[in-house]
C-alpha cells in the first residue's frame, strides 16, 4: 500500500472546484417595438440643436447579419499632436526576426503526462539523445503541451521515440513520444503584417517565436501563463502557509517598430513547501489537535483541492493530487484492505509502517478517484514545491504582498534591465544560432506627449469657480459642488461599540461638511439614532425603516428616507449584507462609515465622504468647463450617451458562482457626469454580456424587448429629453483573443436594442476596449527630474503614446491619466474596435483624458475612464449581494459542475428608489 489507504466504508465529502461593416440585425422591429418607439418619441421635448437626423443613422442597406464573420478594426486615423512633447522609456525590446521559418510539430506523450515540468524534462532528454542521430542536428522549442518548433524541417514527417527518464523517487520510467509535422509558419506574412501591408495578424507565427524565446528562460523555473517564477528572483512569507515568489513576464507583441519583446517584473503567491498538517494549522491559525468545524473543513478543502502532495519514505517518494478532504476525521475512517479485512486508517499505519498518527482529529486527504479513493493522513504528506496559490488573498496577505513586491519606477526599470541581461537571449543557441533572432537589450525610447488637464467648474459662489488641475489633482477648499443634492429626511444606525454621543458628534460634523460644500441638508434627523448589535443586521434595518415610514406618514406623506448613515461594526464582513438589504430589499440609499473614523473627526475624511453622499442623492460635484460652454468635441454638439461596461468573474475556487455584468450610462448630457448602473448575472466565466439586449414572448403582447442597453437608452431619453444621437461605448475587461467575438456579439445587441425602440434608429457607435491587465510600463528618461515626473517618480499624468509600441495599423493608444501614488504607474491601453463617429486620434485621446477628471469620488484624475470604472464598481457591488451563499456541494464530477454552472442564480433586483442614482459610489 506504500503509505496510503484505499477503498472504504467512509466515502469522503466532495469538493467544489471569465472590416468595418457593423454586425447588425436583419430582423425588423415587431409591433411591440414600434409601440415602444412611439412611446419613446412621445417623450420628446425639443430637438437636438443643429442636429441632422440623416447624419445620425447608418443607411438601412448597411445592416448586415451578425453571424460568425470576422470584423476588421478601423485603421488608425493618424497620430495625435496635442500636448507637450517628451521622451520616455518603455519595457519593450525590439526583436530582429532572422530568416528561419518555424516548423511546427505535434507532440504526443504516452502514457499521458499532466505536469508541464515533467513534459519539458522528457522533451529536453529527447532532444539531447536524438538531436544528432534523428533530428537533423536541430534543436526543439517546446511549449510544454502539444507543440514543438524547429528552425527548419526535421528529417521525417512523423516518428515515435522511446524516452527513459529517472523520476524523483529513483524509479526509471519509459515514455513514447510521437512527433508529427503540423505546419510551416511563414515569416514573410508576419513581416507584411508588421509593415501594414497585410491585415490578418499571423498570431500563430508570433506564438511560435515566443516559444523559442522562452525555451531557455523557462528551464528550472515555474511557468504560470506568460510569467516565469523562481526563488532566485526573491521569495518571502505572506502568512497562513502562503509565500510570494518573484519572477518576470515575457510576451512577444507586434508593434509599429516591429516585433517587440515585452518584459516586466511579476510576483505570485505560492504554497509553502511543508507538511499538510502544518499548513492547515497555519491556514486556520489554531491548534489542530481539536476537530475541525464543518466551516473550517470546507475552507481547508477549497484551499487544498488540486494541490500536489508528496509522501516520502526512506527509499520511496510518490506524488498525489488532492481531490477533496474527507467529511470524517482519520480516527473514524476505515477501509477494506487487500485481504478483505476492515481496518481503520490509524490502525493500518501503525501496523504497516509503525507510524503512530498524532493528528487523528484532522480529516484525511482524498486522492485517487471516486471508484478507488486513496486516503492519506495530512501529517505524512508534504506540499510539493512551486505550486501557485490560486485562491483570493486576505487583506493582511494583500498588504504584505504589495509591501514586498511594489517597486518605484527606477527600481523596476533596473530589475527589468537585469532580467534581460541574465536571460542573455543573444547568446542562447536556439534563439541566436538556430533561428537567427537578435534582441535589442536596451529599453525602447518613445516620443510621447503630455496632454493638458481640462478646466473644471464648481459652483459660482466662493472663490473662482473654475479650477485648473495640477499634476493630476486639485482641491475643493472654499469651493461648493456645482449641483448640491437635497437631503431632508435622514437618520443613523450604529452597529459599532462607540456610544451615541460620539457617533452623534461624528455625523453632525459630516452633515456640517455636506452643508458647507453645497448640499441642502436638514440638520435634524428624521428619527433619533438607532443602536443595534451586529448579530442581526437584517432585522435592525427592517425595524429602522418601519420607524422611518411611520414618522414620514405623520410629517411628509409620500416621501422616502433619503439617506441612512451606517456606522459599521468593528468585525469585518457585514458591509455586503448591509448594502444588499438597503439596496435590494428596503430601497434605502446608505453611507457606511468605518468605526475607526468616528473619533478622528477629520475634515479631509468628511470632505471625501460628502462627495460620495452628493452623487448618491442625485447631486453633481464638478463638471468639465467645456461641457458648459459647448466645447467638448464629440459630446456637446449633439445628444451623446457614454456607456461603460464590465464583467467580473468569481474568485478561483468558486466554481458555481455566476459572472456579473454591469453596464452604466451617462444620464445628464451634455455634462456626462451622472451614470445610471444596471447589473445582471450570467454563466460562470462568460465574458460576452448576455443581457445587453433580450427578447421574450408573451401570448397576449407578443415579442417583449428588454435588456440593459435598451433600458438605459429609455432612461437617457426621460432624463435629457433627447434620444441619443451618438453612442460611445467603453468596454472593460476584454483580452485581445476575445476582441472579435465580443465585438460581433455586443455590437449586434447594441444595434438590436436601438432598432427595438424605433424603426431605422441606428445612432453611430464607437466601441473602445479598455485594458488595464497588460505589462507595458513607462519610465522617465531622467529619474528624479521634477519637471518630467510626479512626486512618486512616475511619468506625468496625461502622458499618451500612440507610436512605436502600439499596433502596426489599428487605432489604439496608451494613456497614463493619473499621478502615481506608490509603485510604478500602469498606463491604460485603449483599443478602438469599431468607430462610426470618425474620431481623430487627438479627439479620442483628449476626450478620454478629460473624462478621467470627472470621477465623482475624489479630487484626482483616475487611471481608467470613469464609465468603465463605475461599471467595475457596480459589478463588484452586485457580487457582494451574493456573498455568504456558498454551499459545500459536490463537484467532483465535471458533469455535475457543468450542470450546476448552467443554472445561473439571478441577482437580487436593485430597488427602484436606489437604481436611478449612483448608489455604487
Amino acid at each position: 500500500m506504500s503509505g496510503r489507504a484505499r477503498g472504504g466504508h467512509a466515502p469522503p465529502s466532495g469538493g467544489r472546484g471569465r472590416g468595418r461593416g457593423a454586425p447588425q440585425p436583419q430582423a425588423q422591429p415587431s409591433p411591440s417595438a414600434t409601440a415602444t418607439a412611439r412611446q419613446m418619441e412621445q417623450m420628446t421635448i425639443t430637438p437636438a440643436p443643429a442636429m441632422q437626423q440623416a447624419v445620425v443613422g447608418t443607411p438601412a442597406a448597411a445592416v448586415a447579419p451578425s453571424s460568425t464573420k470576422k470584423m476588421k478594426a478601423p485603421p488608425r486615423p493618424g497620430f495625435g499632436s496635442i500636448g507637450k512633447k517628451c521622451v520616455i522609456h518603455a519595457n519593450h525590446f525590439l526583436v530582429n526576426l532572422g530568416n528561419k521559418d518555424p516548423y511546427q510539430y505535434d507532440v504526443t506523450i504516452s502514457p499521458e503526462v499532466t505536469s508541464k515540468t515533467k513534459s519539458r524534462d522528457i522533451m529536453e532528454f529527447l532532444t539531447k539523445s536524438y538531436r544528432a542521430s534523428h533530428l537533423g542536428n536541430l534543436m526543439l522549442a517546446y511549449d510544454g503541451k502539444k507543440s514543438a518548433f524547429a528552425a527548419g524541417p526535421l528529417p521525417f514527417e512523423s516518428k515515435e521515440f522511446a524516452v527513459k527518464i529517472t523520476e524523483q523517487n529513483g524509479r526509471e520510467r519509459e515514455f513514447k513520444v510521437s512527433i508529427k509535422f503540423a505546419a510551416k509558419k511563414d515569416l514573410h506574412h508576419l513581416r507584411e503584417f508588421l509593415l501594414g501591408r497585410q491585415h490578418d495578424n499571423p498570431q500563430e507565427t508570433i506564438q511560435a517565436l515566443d516559444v523559442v524565446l522562452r525555451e531557455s528562460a523557462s528551464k528550472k523555473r515555474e511557468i504560470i501563463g506568460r510569467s516565469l517564477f523562481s526563488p532566485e528572483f526573491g521569495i518571502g512569507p505572506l502568512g497562513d502557509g502562503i509565500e510570494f515568489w518573484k519572477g518576470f513576464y515575457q510576451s512577444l507583441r507586434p508593434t509599429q517598430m516591429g516585433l517587440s519583446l515585452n518584459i516586466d517584473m511579476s510576483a505570485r503567491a505560492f504554497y509553502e513547501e511543508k507538511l499538510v498538517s502544518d499548513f492547515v494549522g497555519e491556514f486556520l491559525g489554531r491548534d489542530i489537535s481539536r476537530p475541525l468545524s464543518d466551516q473550517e473543513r470546507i475552507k481547508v478543502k477549497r484551499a487544498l483541492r488540486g494541490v500536489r502532495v508528496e509522501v516520502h519514505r526512506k527509499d520511496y517518494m510518490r506524488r498525489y493530487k488532492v481531490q477533496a478532504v474527507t467529511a470524517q476525521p482519520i480516527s473514524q475512517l476505515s477501509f477494506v484492505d487487500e485481504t478483505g479485512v476492515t481496518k481503520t486508517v490509524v490502525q493500518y499505519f501503525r501496523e504497516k509502517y509503525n507510524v503512530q498518527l498524532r493528528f487523528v482529529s484532522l480529516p484525511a486527504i482524498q486522492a485517487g478517484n471516486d471508484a478507488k479513493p486513496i486516503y492519506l493522513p495530512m501529517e505524512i504528506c508534504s506540499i510539493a514545491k512551486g505550486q501557485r496559490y490560486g485562491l483570493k488573498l486576505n487583506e493582511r496577505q494583500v498588504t504584505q504582498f504589495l509591501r514586498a513586491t511594489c517597486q518605484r519606477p527606477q527600481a523596476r526599470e533596473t530589475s527589468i534591465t537585469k532580467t534581460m541581461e541574465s536571460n542573455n537571449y543573444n547568446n542562447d543557441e536556439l534563439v541566436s544560432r538556430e533561428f537567427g533572432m537578435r534582441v535589442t537589450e536596451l529599453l525602447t525610447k518613445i516620443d510621447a506627449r503630455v496632454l493638458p488637464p481640462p478646466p473644471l467648474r464648481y459652483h459660482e459662489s466662493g472663490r473662482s469657480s473654475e479650477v485648473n488641475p495640477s499634476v493630476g489633482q486639485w482641491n475643493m477648499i472654499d469651493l461648493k459642488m456645482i449641483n448640491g443634492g437635497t437631503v431632508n429626511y435622514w437618520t443613523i444606525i450604529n452597529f459599532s461599540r462607540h456610544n451615541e454621543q460620539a457617533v452623534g458628534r461624528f455625523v453632525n460634523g459630516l452633515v456640517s461638511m455636506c452643508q458647507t460644500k453645497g448640499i441642502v441638508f436638514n440638520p435634524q434627523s428624521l428619527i433619533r439614532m438607532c443602536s443595534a448589535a451586529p448579530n442581526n443586521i437584517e432585522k435592525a434595518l427592517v425595524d429602522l425603516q418601519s420607524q422611518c415610514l411611520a414618522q414620514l406618514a405623520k410629517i411628509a406623506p409620500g416621501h422616502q428616507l433619503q439617506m441612512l448613515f451606517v456606522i459599521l461594526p468593528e468585525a469585518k464582513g457585514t458591509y455586503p449584507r448591509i448594502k444588499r438589504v438597503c439596496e435590494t430589499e428596503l430601497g434605502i440609499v446608505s453611507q457606511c462609515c468605518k468605526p475607526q473614523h468616528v473619533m478622528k473627526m477629520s475634515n479631509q475624511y468628511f470632505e471625501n465622504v460628502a462627495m460620495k453622499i452628493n452623487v448618491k442623492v442625485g447631486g453633481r460635484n464638478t463638471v468639465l468647463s467645456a461641457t458648459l460652454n459647448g466645447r467638448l468635441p464629440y459630446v456637446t454638439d449633439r445628444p451623446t450617451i457614454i456607456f461603460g461596461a464590465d464583467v467580473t468573474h468569481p474568485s478561483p475556487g468558486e466554481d458555481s458562482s455566476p459572472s456579473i455584468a454591469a453596464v452604466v450610462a451617462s444620464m445628464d448630457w451634455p455634462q456626462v457626469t451622472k451614470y445610471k448602473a444596471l447589473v445582471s448575472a450570467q454563466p460562470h466565466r462568460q465574458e460576452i454580456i448576455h443581457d445587453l439586449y433580450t427578447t421574450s414572448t408573451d401570448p397576449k403582447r407578443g415579442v417583449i424587448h428588454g435588456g440593459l442597453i435598451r433600458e438605459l437608452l429609455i432612461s437617457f431619453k426621460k432624463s435629457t429629453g433627447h434620444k441619443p444621437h451618438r453612442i460611445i461605448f467603453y468596454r472593460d475587461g476584454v483580452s485581445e483573443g476575445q476582441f472579435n467575438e465580443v465585438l460581433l456579439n455586443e455590437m449586434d445587441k447594441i444595434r438590436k436594442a436601438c432598432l427595438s425602440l424605433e424603426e431605422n434608429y441606428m445612432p453611430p457607435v464607437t466601441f473602445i476596449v479598455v485594458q488595464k491587465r497588460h505589462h507595458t510600463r513607462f519610465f522617465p528618461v531622467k529619474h528624479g527630474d521634477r519637471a518630467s515626473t510626479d512626486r512618486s517618480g512616475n511619468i506625468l499624468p496625461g502622458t499618451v503614446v500612440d507610436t512605436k509600441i502600439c499596433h502596426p495599423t489599428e487605432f489604439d493608444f496608451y494613456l497614463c491619466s493619473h499621478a502615481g501614488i506608490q509603485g510604478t504607474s500602469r498606463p491604460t491601453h485603449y483599443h478602438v474596435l469599431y468607430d462610426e463617429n470618425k474620431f481623430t486620434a487627438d479627439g479620442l485621446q483628449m476626450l478620454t483624458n478629460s473624462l478621467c477628471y470627472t470621477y465623482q469620488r475624489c479630487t484626482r484624475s483616475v487611471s481608467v475612464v470613469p464609465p468603465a470604472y463605475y461599471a467595475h464598481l457596480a459589478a463588484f457591488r452586485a457580487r457582494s449581494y451574493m456573498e455568504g451563499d456558498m454551499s459545500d456541494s459536490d463537484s467532483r464530477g465535471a458533469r455535475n459542475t457543468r450542470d450546476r454552472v448552467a443554472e445561473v442564480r439571478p441577482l437580487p433586483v436593485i430597488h427602484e428608489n436606489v437604481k436611478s442614482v449612483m448608489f455604487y459610489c
Side-chain angles (χ1 to χ4, degrees):
M1 290 276 292
S2 302
R4 54 192 173 159
R6 284 192 179 273
H9 295 335
S13 73
R16 281 191 325 133
R18 148 204 128 99
R20 298 186 54 135
Q24 297 156 358
Q26 291 180 306
Q28 295 300 311
S30 68
S32 62
T34 307
T36 311
R38 282 198 297 271
Q39 181 185 14
M40 192 173 182
E41 282 305 302
Q42 287 166 8
M43 293 191 287
T44 302
I45 297 175
T46 55
M51 182 60 215
Q52 303 284 327
Q53 181 60 37
V55 177
V56 177
T58 302
V63 178
S66 64
S67 63
T68 55
K69 69 193 319 191
K70 172 87 174 171
M71 291 190 66
K72 189 172 73 173
R76 188 180 301 281
F79 298 97
S81 60
I82 294 176
K84 183 181 177 183
K85 293 181 179 179
C86 63
V87 177
I88 59 175
H89 280 146
N91 58 337
H92 284 245
F93 302 86
L94 181 63
V95 177
N96 186 310
L97 286 179
N99 55 10
K100 299 285 185 71
D101 292 330
Y103 282 69
Q104 181 180 353
Y105 289 84
D106 291 336
V107 174
T108 306
I109 301 174
S110 60
E112 187 178 359
V113 177
T114 55
S115 165
K116 284 187 182 179
T117 303
K118 183 177 283 188
S119 297
R120 288 179 185 280
D121 289 343
I122 292 168
M123 289 301 292
E124 184 180 2
F125 188 86
L126 184 150
T127 302
K128 285 179 180 176
S129 303
Y130 296 102
R131 179 179 174 183
S133 59
H134 291 78
L135 301 180
N137 216 29
L138 291 172
M139 298 175 71
L140 294 177
Y142 177 54
D143 69 355
K145 294 176 284 190
K146 300 290 185 184
S147 295
F149 301 92
L154 297 178
F156 53 83
E157 285 287 314
S158 177
K159 198 171 190 63
E160 187 177 88
F161 297 86
V163 176
K164 289 183 180 179
I165 63 167
T166 303
E167 298 187 321
Q168 285 178 305
N169 57 13
R171 189 175 59 176
E172 191 175 69
R173 284 187 71 189
E174 180 172 303
F175 296 91
K176 302 289 186 187
V177 182
S178 171
I179 297 178
K180 183 180 180 181
F181 174 73
K184 177 187 174 185
K185 307 300 179 186
D186 193 342
L187 291 185
H188 172 71
H189 288 161
L190 176 55
R191 287 194 177 91
E192 291 293 291
F193 173 72
L194 293 171
L195 292 169
R197 296 174 188 155
Q198 177 181 309
H199 293 296
D200 289 335
N201 181 355
Q203 188 57 41
E204 289 187 0
T205 305
I206 296 172
Q207 287 172 348
L209 298 177
D210 189 77
V211 171
V212 172
L213 279 167
R214 72 174 60 238
E215 172 70 23
S216 178
S218 63
K219 286 182 172 58
K220 297 188 174 16
R221 289 168 177 164
E222 293 298 328
I223 304 166
I224 298 172
R226 294 181 179 273
S227 295
L228 301 97
F229 299 93
S230 171
E232 70 188 273
F233 295 105
I235 193 169
L238 293 175
D240 301 347
I242 310 301
E243 63 190 8
F244 69 83
W245 286 21
K246 291 184 179 181
F248 67 94
Y249 168 91
Q250 172 179 319
S251 176
L252 208 50
R253 302 183 57 79
T255 66
Q256 292 167 32
M257 68 177 183
L259 209 55
S260 168
L261 184 63
N262 181 202
I263 297 286
D264 189 27
M265 303 320 294
S266 191
R268 281 281 189 150
F270 283 76
Y271 289 91
E272 288 184 355
E273 186 182 13
K274 59 174 52 184
L275 287 174
V276 176
S277 52
D278 291 345
F279 168 80
V280 170
E282 281 190 49
F283 186 71
L284 297 177
R286 74 166 181 82
D287 176 20
I288 54 172
S289 59
R290 292 180 288 112
L292 306 188
S293 67
D294 281 346
Q295 189 176 4
E296 287 174 328
R297 183 181 57 80
I298 293 166
K299 188 178 175 184
V300 168
K301 180 175 68 176
R302 287 192 182 126
L304 288 177
R305 197 182 60 179
V307 172
R308 297 186 306 277
V309 297
E310 296 172 348
V311 176
H312 292 266
R313 302 241 171 258
K314 288 180 182 177
D315 55 349
Y316 170 90
M317 191 285 286
R318 180 138 185 208
R319 186 172 284 187
Y320 301 91
K321 190 174 185 178
V322 178
Q323 302 297 336
V325 298
T326 57
Q328 298 83 2
I330 287 179
S331 58
Q332 298 175 21
L333 270 181
S334 60
F335 68 100
V336 179
D337 70 6
E338 301 97 322
T339 63
V341 177
T342 299
K343 289 184 178 178
T344 66
V345 172
V346 175
Q347 180 185 1
Y348 171 80
F349 275 90
R350 185 174 61 246
E351 294 175 1
K352 179 87 173 178
Y353 300 107
N354 195 27
V355 171
Q356 185 64 47
L357 298 176
R358 293 185 301 147
F359 301 111
V360 295
S361 59
L362 285 178
I365 285 171
Q366 186 222 319
N369 54 43
D370 287 346
K372 290 185 176 180
I374 299 169
Y375 301 140
L376 302 165
M378 291 183 175
E379 63 193 85
I380 70 160
C381 300
S382 297
I383 294 175
K385 184 179 180 180
Q387 295 185 81
R388 178 181 56 149
Y389 178 72
L391 300 185
K392 192 176 179 181
L393 297 177
N394 61 39
E395 282 185 33
R396 180 170 45 80
Q397 289 170 328
V398 169
T399 301
Q400 178 66 21
F401 184 84
L402 292 176
R403 186 180 295 131
T405 60
C406 191
Q407 286 183 299
R408 293 278 187 183
Q410 188 167 4
R412 195 182 196 100
E413 183 180 332
T414 300
S415 297
I416 290 169
T417 303
K418 285 182 178 177
T419 299
M420 281 296 295
E421 291 171 357
S422 67
N423 286 345
N424 199 10
Y425 298 102
N426 292 332
N427 287 325
D428 179 80
E429 186 180 4
L430 180 69
V431 173
S432 183
R433 192 183 69 79
E434 296 256 326
F435 278 88
M437 298 164 69
R438 299 290 295 175
V439 182
T440 303
E441 294 186 344
L442 297 175
L443 281 89
T444 298
K445 270 191 177 181
I446 300 175
D447 292 324
R449 292 168 289 116
V450 181
L451 301 178
L456 303 172
R457 189 71 62 85
Y458 282 87
H459 196 273
E460 295 291 345
S461 62
R463 65 179 172 89
S464 172
S465 64
E466 188 159 284
V467 172
N468 291 296
S470 174
V471 196
Q473 56 189 335
W474 63 98
N475 67 57
M476 278 182 66
I477 295 173
D478 300 330
L479 288 174
K480 290 189 174 182
M481 296 147 178
I482 190 163
N483 301 117
T486 300
V487 182
N488 290 318
Y489 311 111
W490 60 276
T491 190
I492 314 162
I493 188 165
N494 174 28
F495 291 113
S496 78
R497 291 194 287 265
H498 289 296
N499 61 46
E500 291 193 2
Q501 289 79 11
V503 172
R505 282 195 303 272
F506 171 78
V507 174
N508 286 337
L510 186 48
V511 168
S512 176
M513 177 62 75
C514 289
Q515 293 168 329
T516 301
K517 291 300 170 187
I519 302 176
V520 179
F521 219 114
N522 182 351
Q524 188 65 43
S525 63
L526 177 65
I527 62 171
R528 69 183 300 274
M529 183 190 313
C530 170
S531 290
N535 55 359
N536 201 341
I537 283 169
E538 288 85 351
K539 183 178 186 304
L541 290 169
V542 170
D543 291 348
L544 177 79
Q545 190 194 40
S546 298
Q547 295 175 46
C548 290
L549 290 175
Q551 181 66 9
L552 283 165
K554 294 178 188 175
I555 64 169
H559 287 81
Q560 303 283 337
L561 185 70
Q562 293 166 298
M563 174 56 63
L564 173 63
F565 291 106
V566 181
I567 309 301
L568 294 168
E570 281 75 10
K572 294 175 181 175
T574 55
Y575 178 85
R577 287 161 55 205
I578 291 168
K579 288 297 184 182
R580 176 179 55 78
V581 173
C582 287
E583 292 168 2
T584 69
E585 296 175 19
L586 306 179
I588 297 174
V589 175
S590 59
Q591 179 58 54
C592 294
C593 301
K594 291 182 178 178
Q596 58 261 40
H597 293 294
V598 169
M599 303 307 293
K600 294 178 182 175
M601 299 291 288
S602 161
N603 280 334
Q604 180 64 57
Y605 175 80
F606 287 156
E607 186 177 287
N608 290 342
V609 176
M611 293 169 68
K612 297 174 70 172
I613 290 170
N614 190 43
V615 296
K616 287 179 181 180
V617 297
R620 193 188 278 117
N621 295 337
T622 184
V623 299
L624 297 167
S625 295
T627 62
L628 300 180
N629 59 28
R631 293 180 181 173
L632 187 63
Y634 299 93
V635 172
T636 52
D637 61 331
R638 63 186 64 168
T640 299
I641 187 168
I642 301 180
F643 286 95
D646 190 19
V647 178
T648 67
H649 302 293
S651 301
E654 295 182 27
D655 288 356
S656 64
S657 298
S659 292
I660 308 293
V663 181
V664 306
S666 58
M667 293 287 130
D668 61 340
W669 178 81
Q671 281 79 26
V672 292
T673 56
K674 292 184 179 181
Y675 288 82
K676 179 177 179 177
L678 299 176
V679 295
S680 72
Q682 59 186 47
H684 181 74
R685 299 212 167 271
Q686 292 290 312
E687 184 57 50
I688 292 168
I689 302 176
H690 287 215
D691 291 341
L692 287 183
Y693 171 71
T694 60
T695 56
S696 58
T697 305
D698 181 87
K700 294 181 180 178
R701 296 163 60 196
V703 177
I704 299 172
H705 301 270
L708 309 179
I709 295 288
R710 191 174 190 277
E711 183 175 340
L712 290 168
L713 290 171
I714 293 172
S715 296
F716 181 92
K717 179 70 181 288
K718 288 178 179 177
S719 177
T720 66
H722 302 289
K723 62 187 177 187
H725 289 195
R726 179 190 288 120
I727 292 174
I728 301 171
F729 196 91
Y730 286 101
R731 176 66 158 91
D732 199 1
V734 182
S735 65
E736 290 175 12
Q738 298 170 307
F739 278 4
N740 193 61
E741 186 183 13
V742 167
L743 180 61
L744 276 169
N745 282 273
E746 296 184 5
M747 266 301 302
D748 181 50
K749 288 175 179 175
I750 292 169
R751 283 281 184 242
K752 287 177 176 173
C754 292
L755 286 169
S756 75
L757 291 167
E758 179 186 312
E759 191 173 355
N760 294 325
Y761 174 50
M762 291 190 290
V765 180
T766 298
F767 193 107
I768 309 143
V769 167
V770 182
Q771 290 179 305
K772 280 288 281 183
R773 290 188 175 182
H774 60 80
H775 283 268
T776 292
R777 298 291 184 274
F778 297 143
F779 305 98
V781 168
K782 187 178 178 183
H783 290 283
D785 176 23
R786 295 309 299 268
S788 60
T789 60
D790 62 21
R791 283 191 297 181
S792 67
N794 278 288
I795 57 171
L796 293 171
T799 301
V800 65
V801 170
D802 60 2
T803 60
K804 220 159 188 181
I805 62 163
C806 292
H807 193 279
T809 58
E810 294 175 7
F811 187 5
D812 71 328
F813 59 91
Y814 290 93
L815 173 64
C816 184
S817 51
H818 67 299
I821 297 175
Q822 62 177 357
T824 304
S825 296
R826 188 199 307 248
T828 298
H829 188 205
Y830 296 92
H831 202 123
V832 181
L833 299 191
Y834 194 76
D835 182 28
E836 292 177 316
N837 289 299
K838 301 191 181 339
F839 271 94
T840 63
D842 279 327
L844 186 57
Q845 290 165 15
M846 285 291 288
L847 172 62
T848 303
N849 187 56
S850 295
L851 289 173
C852 289
Y853 286 77
T854 65
Y855 187 64
Q856 297 292 294
R857 301 210 306 177
C858 60
T859 55
R860 299 175 65 95
S861 59
V862 288
S863 62
V864 177
V865 69
Y869 205 146
Y870 291 144
H872 177 75
L873 290 178
F876 190 77
R877 173 65 56 82
R879 181 165 301 288
S880 75
Y881 296 155
M882 307 181 86
E883 278 187 12
D885 195 19
M886 298 289 287
S887 61
D888 183 25
S889 57
D890 189 341
S891 68
R892 293 191 304 268
R895 182 176 176 185
N896 288 350
T897 305
R898 284 198 299 270
D899 290 346
R900 192 180 62 257
V901 168
E903 300 170 8
V904 177
R905 190 158 30 101
L907 285 168
V909 177
I910 298 169
H911 200 285
E912 286 296 325
N913 293 350
V914 173
K915 71 190 294 187
S916 60
V917 296
M918 296 170 70
F919 65 92
Y920 48 84
C921 279

